[in-house]
Amino acid sequence: MSAERDAVLAANDAFYRAFEKRNFEMMEAVWSRGISSLCAHPGRLPLEGWSNIGTSWQGIFRNIDYIEIETEIISAEVNGDLAYIVLVENVLQVVKNRRIEAKSLATNVFERMGGQWFLMHHHGSPVVK
């Protein structure tokens, strides 16, 4: 495994740890501030720009009491200053004392800026069982 691929996988892991901890500062640290940033949460229309994306994460964090996310990497590729990861998200969450399990197929695209990888695109789609 290449060092660049390892770095992208570490950035991807930081994204999911921020999500699990419901920590906005950690989430903010992994996202690109570029104008091309895009986030499509499962079942929702895409959000453009960090301001809209950040607001959506704050709302999600307020409404989730507990969350665990296990990921299954399908593919991880690096090409210059861009990289993508395709994965399955196995999600367990508690919302208003209700346990919910879900599976999503996600694509995370990262861009390298200043030697660091930042998430610039996240798209999650529910997997129907």
Side-chain angles (χ1 to χ4, degrees), residues 39-69:
C39 183
H41 297 294
R44 298 185 190 176
L45 293 173
L47 301 164
E48 294 182 70
W50 171 247
S51 178
N52 294 323
I53 294 167
T55 299
S56 76
W57 285 113
Q58 288 174 323
I60 289 168
F61 293 166
R62 274 192 304 272
N63 291 312
I64 295 174
D65 300 315
Y66 177 83
I67 189 164
E68 286 179 20
I69 305 166

Side-chain angles (χ1 to χ4, degrees), residues 72-93:
E72 300 170 30
I73 305 294
I74 296 170
S75 179
E77 300 293 332
V78 178
N79 188 353
D81 288 333
L82 290 176
Y84 71 86
I85 299 176
V86 178
L87 59 116
V88 174
E89 302 169 334
N90 295 295
V91 181
L92 164 66
Q93 60 184 320

Side-chain angles (χ1 to χ4, degrees), residues 32-43:
S32 170
R33 298 302 181 280
I35 59 171
S36 60
S37 293
L38 187 76
C39 183
H41 297 294

Side-chain angles (χ1 to χ4, degrees), residues 111-125:
E111 64 181 339
R112 182 174 32 204
M113 294 183 298
Q116 185 174 346
W117 290 99
F118 293 94
L119 185 60
M120 66 177 292
H121 176 94
H122 168 73
H123 183 177
S125 297

